[in-house]
Amino acid sequence: MVFVFHSEYADVPAVELPIHEAVLGRAAEFGDTVALVDGTTGASVTYAQLDASHRRLAAAFTDAGVRKGDVLALHSPNTIAYPTVFYAATRAGAAVTTSHALCTAEELATQLRDAAARWIVTVASLLEVARRSAEIVGGIEEIFVCDRAEGHRSILDMALSALPEHPVDLDPAEDVAVLPYSSGTTGVPKGVMLTHRSIATNLAQLEPLTPMGPGHRILAVLPFFHIYGLTALMNGPLRRGATVVVLPRFELEQFLSAIQTHRVNGLYVAPPIVLALTKHPAVTRYDLSSLEYVMCGAAPLDARLSAACSERLGLPPLRQGYGMTELSPATHLVPLTDPNPPPGAVGQLLPSTEMRIVALDDPGTDVGPEVDGEILIRGPQVMKGYLGRPEATAAMIDADGWVHTGDVGRVDADGWLFVVDRLKELIKYKGFQVAPAELEALLLTHDAIADAAVIGVYDDNGNEVPKAYVVRRSGAAPLTEDDVMAYVAERVAPYKRVRRVAFIGGVPRAASGKILRRELRGPRDGKENT
């Protein structure tokens, strides 16, 4: 029997608009309200300026040759120029594939090749990586920069162009707006096709649970290239006239100073930042009295840590949310207006969203409240599919439109969701996705490694980190734990680095060759056997 959980909120109509219109459609109304502030320099952009500059840049992109159906790679840390580039690219008809600012040239090239990107927008400090990736993959028409770099056109100049606009006919239901990369439940990163309608509708689904408007100040320290940052810190606040204070990275003193200086109301963070707010002595040196709430997502948050943070900051209970890139990304949220949500809950169903919980030992059987099972989701925020991977899409989304998340959860009698475990192999290091298969493939390129398996384990601060189990190759040169970690560190972005290594005699595998990761894992708390 199918048992479907429904949202307590009224359905919202699908937003049949391109994402730039869904977000900036009220820009003229907000006018001189400050949209973006550089948290390091104080430079600011009003809504009127953002609207005008993204339109002019879109015209310049079109003049440069960007066409509907093209893919533009946005390879940049958070800057106040990031939204202008994003909305200009979508207005010109391109899909934007967002990339990690710290990725290597090889990693970026892999994404560019898979996405069939023709254009790159980056910053001067990352230009060498962008150039090398373009050389590796080929087919890149031009590399633009958000600031200044010799030999490359700057979007600062392009956004001043007087070129005429060329409206592009977009189908919000079919045309892809953004192409972030996710490993889904297993495997290597895949391009997640999020249409204009899916991400715009998800913004509308979030609105009843997150009241916000002009005068509200959000601190954007989580990266815009991550779907959480793109939605919660860029698209969501800018759709409703809030002011976004932008930081390029998380540095605690700078982060605290920005809250104090700009009188920030709301924080959207990941668990490592909650840990810092809870324990670091520097927190007491800053005036954080403007804060009204903290929302945590991207990875599980321990209920005890959550309570300790809210107590230290003198705030209501921390809020959590749940979702995944393939869901644009949100399906659940703890409402900002709820005075006392149950500890550990990740939220209630968003409007127009349905959920099932299926038995772990019998996926064909649904379970009701208070029983653990795999979380299945259906709603208008579901992705179009994985780019060029119909089999992976079919494995994720069944014939009835249900997304099989790979996460294990339970729902209480009042409809609150608690995520208690996960089936999927994906490691979440400080909110960033790390695919074990990718690291395993890299480890096997080492001459002294015969076999390897990677799982997630937890460090003393409760962060999930990659641990490699390595089989030394007989007769090869001696290999130490430091050798293994250094080999990986030289070839991947910092967040993907192997943090622990153990040497074993053989990797446990099924007859099919699939790694039996459960045999490498320890108790349910995630700590490994030692």
Side-chain angles (χ1 to χ4, degrees):
M1 183 180 73
V2 174
F3 186 97
V4 180
F5 294 91
H6 297 275
S7 175
E8 295 183 0
Y9 293 86
D11 286 349
V12 298
V15 179
E16 302 286 356
L17 292 171
I19 188 60
H20 44 275
E21 295 291 352
V23 173
L24 298 179
R26 298 174 64 192
E29 173 188 337
F30 299 138
D32 291 335
T33 300
V34 174
L36 299 154
V37 178
D38 187 317
T40 61
T41 68
S44 64
V45 176
T46 68
Y47 275 90
Q49 291 169 332
L50 175 59
D51 190 38
S53 63
H54 99 275
R55 291 174 182 273
R56 290 193 295 262
L57 182 57
F61 277 153
T62 299
D63 185 67
V66 176
R67 297 291 181 265
K68 180 181 177 180
D70 281 357
V71 175
L72 179 146
L74 185 42
H75 174 230
S76 171
N78 288 8
T79 71
I80 58 174
Y82 199 108
T84 299
V85 175
F86 184 89
Y87 303 127
T90 61
R91 183 172 284 278
V96 179
T97 188
T98 55
S99 66
H100 198 297
L102 297 180
C103 65
T104 65
E106 292 74 17
E107 289 168 330
L108 181 56
T110 298
Q111 182 172 336
L112 295 174
R113 184 182 294 110
D114 190 76
R118 296 182 62 215
W119 314 89
I120 302 174
V121 179
T122 189
V123 294
S125 61
L126 302 180
L127 186 54
E128 185 56 34
V129 170
R131 284 172 172 165
R132 285 193 285 123
S133 68
E135 291 171 0
I136 292 169
V137 72
I140 299 299
E141 300 286 343
E142 188 170 354
I143 301 174
F144 308 102
V145 292
C146 293
D147 39 14
R148 303 284 182 188
E150 185 176 354
H152 294 268
R153 281 198 279 179
S154 170
I155 65 108
L156 299 173
D157 298 326
M158 297 169 70
L160 297 175
S161 76
L163 294 166
E165 285 192 54
H166 296 278
V168 177
D169 184 19
L170 292 169
D171 181 349
E174 292 296 327
D175 291 332
V176 175
V178 60
L179 191 66
Y181 271 68
S182 167
S183 299
T185 57
T186 59
V188 298
K190 299 173 280 292
V192 178
M193 296 187 290
L194 300 180
T195 65
H196 291 266
R197 181 169 73 178
S198 68
I199 59 173
T201 301
N202 198 227
L203 298 177
Q205 291 173 295
L206 287 162
E207 287 182 5
L209 290 81
T210 56
M212 189 185 301
H216 206 100
R217 292 172 296 282
I218 297 295
L219 184 57
V221 68
L222 299 179
F224 290 147
F225 60 73
H226 190 286
I227 192 64
Y228 178 17
L230 189 74
T231 294
L233 301 177
M234 192 177 92
N235 288 335
L238 294 178
R239 173 176 163 88
R240 290 186 272 172
T243 296
V244 180
V245 180
V246 180
L247 291 177
R249 67 190 65 84
F250 177 70
E251 295 175 354
L252 183 60
E253 298 271 358
Q254 184 183 69
F255 173 80
L256 297 170
S257 178
I259 297 172
Q260 175 179 281
T261 300
H262 298 285
R263 306 301 293 163
V264 169
N265 306 113
L267 295 180
Y268 289 79
V269 298
I273 298 179
V274 175
L275 180 65
L277 289 170
T278 304
K279 295 187 175 182
H280 202 285
V283 172
T284 60
R285 299 199 297 268
Y286 292 85
D287 178 6
L288 308 183
S289 61
S290 61
L291 287 177
E292 298 172 4
Y293 66 89
V294 176
M295 179 74 71
C296 186
L301 177 66
D302 181 77
R304 291 165 297 183
L305 176 61
S306 174
C309 184
S310 62
E311 181 179 357
R312 188 183 195 194
L313 299 179
L315 292 174
L318 269 62
R319 315 282 132 160
Q320 289 198 68
Y322 173 75
M324 58 196 306
T325 306
E326 291 82 352
L327 295 164
S328 298
T331 68
H332 290 73
L333 202 70
V334 176
L336 294 182
T337 54
D338 193 297
N340 192 31
V346 299
Q348 297 175 322
L349 275 168
L350 297 186
S352 305
T353 306
E354 299 173 302
M355 176 176 63
R356 292 164 55 201
I357 305 291
V358 298
L360 299 178
D361 55 356
D362 182 7
T365 301
D366 286 32
V367 299
E370 306 296 355
V371 180
D372 291 356
E374 184 184 3
I375 302 166
L376 274 57
I377 297 292
R378 187 167 66 182
Q381 66 269 56
V382 172
M383 67 173 178
K384 185 176 181 179
Y386 290 120
L387 178 68
R389 290 175 169 82
E391 292 183 358
T393 301
M396 174 67 80
I397 308 172
D398 67 26
D400 294 319
W402 291 99
V403 174
H404 294 243
T405 68
D407 287 321
V408 179
R410 69 175 183 275
V411 180
D412 71 9
D414 296 319
W416 293 94
L417 175 66
F418 298 79
V419 177
V420 297
D421 203 345
R422 68 178 183 252
L423 299 173
K424 56 191 178 185
E425 300 169 355
L426 187 67
I427 299 166
K428 281 202 170 182
Y429 175 70
K430 296 187 176 181
F432 294 118
Q433 297 179 343
V434 181
E438 185 179 6
L439 293 177
E440 288 157 357
L442 174 59
L443 287 164
L444 292 179
T445 65
H446 194 295
D447 290 340
I449 295 177
D451 202 358
V454 175
I455 66 170
V457 300
Y458 289 93
D459 65 18
D460 293 339
N461 290 324
N463 294 315
E464 190 177 24
V465 298
K467 177 174 181 177
Y469 287 85
V470 174
V471 180
R472 293 186 178 98
R473 185 172 65 82
S474 178
L479 188 68
T480 67
E481 294 177 20
D482 287 343
D483 292 336
V484 174
M485 289 188 283
Y487 183 79
V488 175
E490 291 170 2
R491 292 165 174 81
V492 300
Y495 73 99
K496 294 182 183 178
R497 292 176 182 173
V498 168
R499 309 284 167 162
R500 296 183 184 180
V501 176
F503 292 100
I504 55 177
V507 172
R509 295 179 183 272
S512 64
K514 181 178 176 61
I515 295 172
L516 299 174
R517 299 180 200 280
R518 65 179 179 273
E519 295 188 13
L520 299 172
R521 298 187 189 279
R524 189 175 175 84
D525 66 1
K527 292 184 172 63
E528 73 277 17
N529 285 315
T530 55

